Amino acid sequence: MSTHTFQISIPKDDDGFVGRECLECKRYFKLKPGTGLPTQHCHCPYCEYEGDQNTFWTQDQLDYAQSVGKQIAYEKLVEPLLDDLTKSFKKLESSTRGGFLQIKVNTTRTKPFFPIKYYNESELETLLTCDNCKLEFAIYGVFSRCPDCSQLNAFSIFQKSIEVCKKQIDLFNQFPHDKDVELANLKFILSNAISSFDGLGKELRKKLVGQFPDKPKNLFQNIDELEKVLLQNFSLDIKTQLSDYSFLRQMFQVRHVFEHNMGVVDADFIRKVPSINHLVDRKYPLTLNEVQMFLGLLTDLGKLIEDEAKKHYT
Ligand SMILES: [Zn+2]
Ligand SMILES: [Zn+2]
């Protein structure tokens, strides 16, 4: 039996993306051929699986390729054989014409119908461009690794969230507002920034098991514990590396009392930050300047952790 090889191209969607499915976790993503690295190797953005690009076909793509393949195989292999056969019969017919035994051959042939199994690629939640290799890809969820260079996107997602917080400040600065609205906005921005930082932390704990402990649960909301972990496991001393660590720490507490104590400074806050003793039992007077400073420090902290974490994952 001989083997024949045909090349079948898999269609791209309207935006130029091709769907992919991981062999291991079976989850779907898309990438844009022509962007990223010139490689045949692919990493699953969700799990640890990696392998040749040919191991990432979706079932829809395989069904499509098989249906197109049947049609091509018929046209290229079966049809020429049938043509040859017809020719031989015709030859036989003409060689026996006028003889004692005449052979008459009638050939009617209808081409079989091979339906092509067309499909649509799915819509995904987050469209990303890798900071490192510029691959354009789309995933479910937010955090992932780049399928080409396997760089973790958690840091760029975090930095983008902080950029959004900074834009929110610019936006709300453009309009006159009263004190209550101002405080509500500042509280909202402060809370969003720490939530983004916490999201970064949760992703890092999944990727760097062992470097970041399981407890406390919300490590990236607990700056005192995080400071210890970074020093012990990464030799990163954020107390000295950041321009104003004590202010950053104070703002984590401010966020805590706004979340859990209506913004009122309690004994726990004073115990952690004795310098604001005069504010005990009063609402913390959060200012725009403080939130801006905090966003700057949190950006710096994210970059310090990124530089260290990169040394620990491949
Ligand atoms: Zn996977
Ligand atoms: Zn990349």
Side-chain angles (χ1 to χ4, degrees):
M1 200 175 81
S2 55
T3 307
H4 298 269
T5 310
F6 314 116
Q7 213 159 27
I8 295 164
S9 40
I10 296 296
K12 297 172 191 161
D13 70 9
D14 292 346
D15 301 313
F17 285 80
V18 172
R20 313 266 61 198
E21 188 184 293
C22 172
L23 256 187
E24 202 64 39
C25 69
K26 309 285 177 212
R27 294 185 72 193
Y28 176 83
F29 61 101
K30 288 196 288 194
L31 48 81
K32 195 173 194 173
T35 61
L37 301 175
T39 175
Q40 278 299 305
H41 202 72
C42 191
H43 303 256
C44 171
Y46 310 110
C47 77
E48 298 305 312
Y49 177 75
E50 55 181 287
D52 190 274
Q53 279 196 14
N54 280 327
T55 60
F56 283 87
W57 299 117
T58 67
Q59 194 53 51
D60 281 345
Q61 289 165 342
L62 293 173
D63 291 346
Y64 169 82
Q66 211 171 43
S67 66
V68 174
K70 276 183 195 163
Q71 196 177 62
I72 297 176
Y74 182 82
E75 285 167 4
K76 295 210 165 166
L77 302 174
V78 180
E79 253 179 359
L81 285 176
L82 291 174
D83 288 345
D84 284 350
L85 199 63
T86 308
K87 270 183 214 152
S88 329
F89 280 133
K90 288 284 176 201
K91 232 183 225 171
L92 190 67
E93 184 183 295
S94 60
S95 67
T96 60
R97 190 175 298 146
F100 172 69
L101 183 71
Q102 286 188 38
I103 294 177
K104 195 93 185 124
V105 181
N106 266 327
T107 52
T108 45
R109 206 193 312 163
T110 39
K111 193 176 171 181
F113 177 62
F114 296 106
I116 303 295
K117 294 187 178 169
Y118 292 103
Y119 61 93
N120 286 320
E121 297 293 5
S122 306
E123 287 300 317
L124 289 168
E125 290 163 351
T126 310
L127 187 64
L128 297 156
T129 302
C130 173
D131 281 348
N132 189 40
C133 75
K134 307 294 172 218
L135 178 76
E136 292 176 42
F137 62 107
I139 54 163
Y140 286 116
V142 176
F143 294 114
S144 74
R145 277 172 188 265
C146 167
D148 269 12
C149 72
S150 88
Q151 175 165 289
L152 205 60
N153 76 344
F155 292 101
S156 50
I157 295 282
F158 166 67
Q159 298 296 358
K160 274 176 199 151
S161 315
I162 299 298
E163 287 307 311
V164 171
C165 291
K166 287 177 182 166
K167 280 182 190 153
Q168 282 168 336
I169 286 193
D170 293 343
L171 192 72
F172 113 92
N173 255 345
Q174 289 173 13
F175 303 101
H177 39 72
D178 66 34
K179 277 260 168 257
D180 288 342
V181 174
E182 177 174 321
L183 188 62
N185 280 330
L186 292 176
K187 203 177 91 177
F188 174 74
I189 294 167
L190 181 67
S191 179
N192 272 1
I194 293 182
S195 293
S196 302
F197 189 62
D198 192 45
L200 169 71
K202 288 198 167 88
E203 191 56 24
L204 287 179
R205 288 170 112 178
K206 274 193 256 166
K207 301 290 179 203
L208 296 173
V209 179
Q211 261 87 25
F212 289 108
D214 290 341
K215 285 183 181 147
K217 198 164 158 261
N218 297 319
L219 178 66
F220 276 60
Q221 291 180 30
N222 186 336
I223 194 73
D224 286 341
E225 283 303 315
L226 181 64
E227 183 265 319
K228 282 183 210 152
V229 168
L230 291 173
L231 188 62
Q232 275 167 17
N233 296 355
F234 296 87
S235 302
L236 173 61
D237 184 1
I238 58 172
K239 278 184 173 169
T240 56
Q241 296 270 320
L242 285 171
S243 60
D244 197 343
Y245 171 73
S246 58
F247 175 74
L248 178 94
R249 184 171 171 269
Q250 180 172 320
M251 295 309 283
F252 269 79
Q253 284 307 312
V254 170
R255 184 259 183 174
H256 186 80
V257 291
F258 272 111
E259 291 285 320
H260 304 290
N261 203 34
M262 304 288 286
V264 176
V265 176
D266 56 11
D268 186 48
F269 195 159
I270 300 296
R271 190 176 54 76
K272 286 179 175 159
V273 188
S275 61
I276 60 151
N277 192 26
H278 58 287
L279 289 175
V280 71
D281 293 335
R282 287 173 55 189
K283 204 166 181 177
Y284 187 89
L286 183 63
T287 66
L288 177 69
N289 191 33
E290 282 180 319
V291 176
Q292 278 172 322
M293 265 177 72
F294 175 71
L295 292 179
L297 284 164
L298 202 61
T299 305
D300 294 344
L301 177 57
K303 284 184 182 142
L304 286 174
I305 297 173
E306 180 174 9
D307 289 344
E308 287 308 315
K310 270 182 174 170
K311 296 174 192 167
H312 290 80
Y313 62 76
T314 50

